[in-house]
Amino acid sequence: MAAQVVYSAVAGHGFRHHAPVANSASGDSVLTRAVRILGAFEPERPTLNVSEIAARAHLPVATAHRLVTELVRLGLLERTGTRGLRVGARLWELGVRSNRIPGLREAALPFMEDLHAVVRQHVSLSVLVGSEVLYIERLSSPGAVPNISAIGRRLPLHCCSAGIVLLAHAPAQVQEQALTGPLAAFTPRTVTDPGRLRQMVAGVRRRGYCVAPEQVDLGVKGLAAPLQDRTGAVVAALSVVTPLTQDHRALIPALKAAARGIARAMGGEGLGAHEVVRERSEFDITPTADIPGTGRRT
């Protein structure tokens, strides 16, 4: 079965998903088709009807209807009305049994909240899934800058700070695929030259963080740092999105301190209360700019 990479526009943004294409009329297994149906739902379209599911999953309507009926029976999909469908609670129940993401989110949230109090913009946690970055947590503020990332959304590795951090520490096969494959442009500033991307990846390994201006949204920039487990392997990325004009240099110490705190919390290597306080105290960064209308500084 071949896999066709499809880019489409949602709310003015590009995103990537894989649309498996059968080599013959019966080339896909039932499981493959069911997964395609579940993958048809997105943050912007949490509710779909059968015709929309069939179009997004590249299935005949009759096939989609039959599989949807079975998925509803199993609790993996739920009906929202006479025609609407959404992802079922049973799927969420199975997902939270993962021993990776819930534990990672639990360890990260206290530090993400502290970091969010500093930046007052977007703070995200993401992991590498295949050759893409998957966002598993995000904190935002009212009036924050645009940000395409959302919990459960995937993006290509090359177009965001978190993805570039994960790419810098990814297995060689993933790196080769990303650095030699087509690099889609989301904005005029998206890095689409493999040579430039290699330079950015090398810079992440050298500095320990990534700065990526206007890669997927204009007027903003992303900052990201890697999160390591007790073996030293990078298992996630912590990122913030700020206005393009904001001086990010004062935020780097807070970002890296949060990443270290999360890594220690995940490792469980004797992280006592005094150590947590020491890590979190590093969020007291030098103010750099007034926040309009508040008299406070950031």
Side-chain angles (χ1 to χ4, degrees), residues 154-170:
R154 296 191 187 203
L155 287 174
L157 292 172
H158 74 280
C159 73
C160 56
S161 59
I164 295 171
V165 162
L166 294 171
L167 179 60
H169 301 279

Side-chain angles (χ1 to χ4, degrees), residues 5-278:
V5 177
V6 180
Y7 286 88
S8 57
V10 174
H13 298 290
F15 68 91
R16 182 170 106 165
H17 66 277
H18 293 278
V21 178
N23 294 323
S24 66
S26 59
D28 293 344
S29 68
V30 172
L31 181 58
T32 296
R33 295 180 182 186
V35 170
R36 281 159 56 184
I37 287 174
L38 295 174
F41 296 88
E42 294 170 343
E44 295 82 6
R45 295 297 306 276
T47 302
L48 300 170
N49 60 41
V50 172
S51 296
E52 292 169 331
I53 291 171
R56 285 171 168 250
H58 303 275
L59 293 172
V61 173
T63 301
H65 185 275
R66 182 177 70 253
L67 292 174
V68 161
T69 300
E70 183 69 5
L71 290 170
V72 169
R73 186 185 70 81
L74 295 172
L76 300 178
L77 290 180
E78 296 174 348
R79 298 193 185 277
T80 61
T82 56
R83 298 182 62 193
L85 293 146
R86 66 187 176 195
V87 173
R90 176 60 174 163
L91 193 60
W92 172 85
E93 179 187 354
L94 295 172
V96 297
R97 294 180 185 178
S98 163
N99 63 357
R100 176 171 68 140
I101 290 178
L104 176 57
R105 291 178 65 248
E106 182 178 355
L109 270 172
F111 297 93
M112 291 179 67
E113 289 168 353
D114 285 347
L115 184 59
H116 182 251
V118 171
V119 300
R120 286 184 286 274
Q121 291 285 337
H122 305 283
V123 177
S124 298
L125 182 68
S126 53
V127 295
L128 177 69
V129 177
S131 59
E132 296 172 309
V133 53
L134 171 66
Y135 290 89
I136 63 173
E137 187 57 84
R138 191 182 91 169
L139 303 178
S140 299
S141 295
V145 295
N147 183 12
I148 191 175
S149 69
I151 297 174
R153 161 160 276 176
R154 296 191 187 203
L155 287 174
L157 292 172
H158 74 280
C159 73
C160 56
S161 59
I164 295 171
V165 162
L166 294 171
L167 179 60
H169 301 279
Q173 181 179 359
V174 174
Q175 291 188 358
E176 188 63 22
Q177 179 181 349
L179 292 168
T180 58
L183 302 175
F186 290 78
T187 75
R189 295 193 64 181
T190 303
V191 175
T192 57
D193 175 58
R196 172 59 181 149
L197 183 58
R198 289 181 186 275
Q199 292 176 357
M200 294 182 71
V201 166
V204 169
R205 296 197 196 102
R206 184 173 63 253
R207 293 189 305 268
Y209 65 90
C210 175
V211 179
E214 297 188 307
Q215 293 300 294
V216 72
D217 280 306
L218 293 175
V220 304
K221 60 185 166 186
L223 318 173
L227 303 182
Q228 297 177 316
D229 64 11
R230 67 175 63 193
T231 70
V234 171
V235 295
L238 179 68
S239 58
V240 301
V241 175
T242 70
L244 181 65
T245 55
Q246 182 174 350
D247 186 352
H248 65 267
R249 290 172 295 182
L251 299 179
I252 296 300
L255 175 65
K256 296 179 75 172
R260 288 196 301 270
I262 296 169
R264 292 188 181 185
M266 286 192 303
E269 298 176 351
L271 182 65
H274 65 288
E275 292 176 287
V276 173
V277 170
R278 186 176 68 242

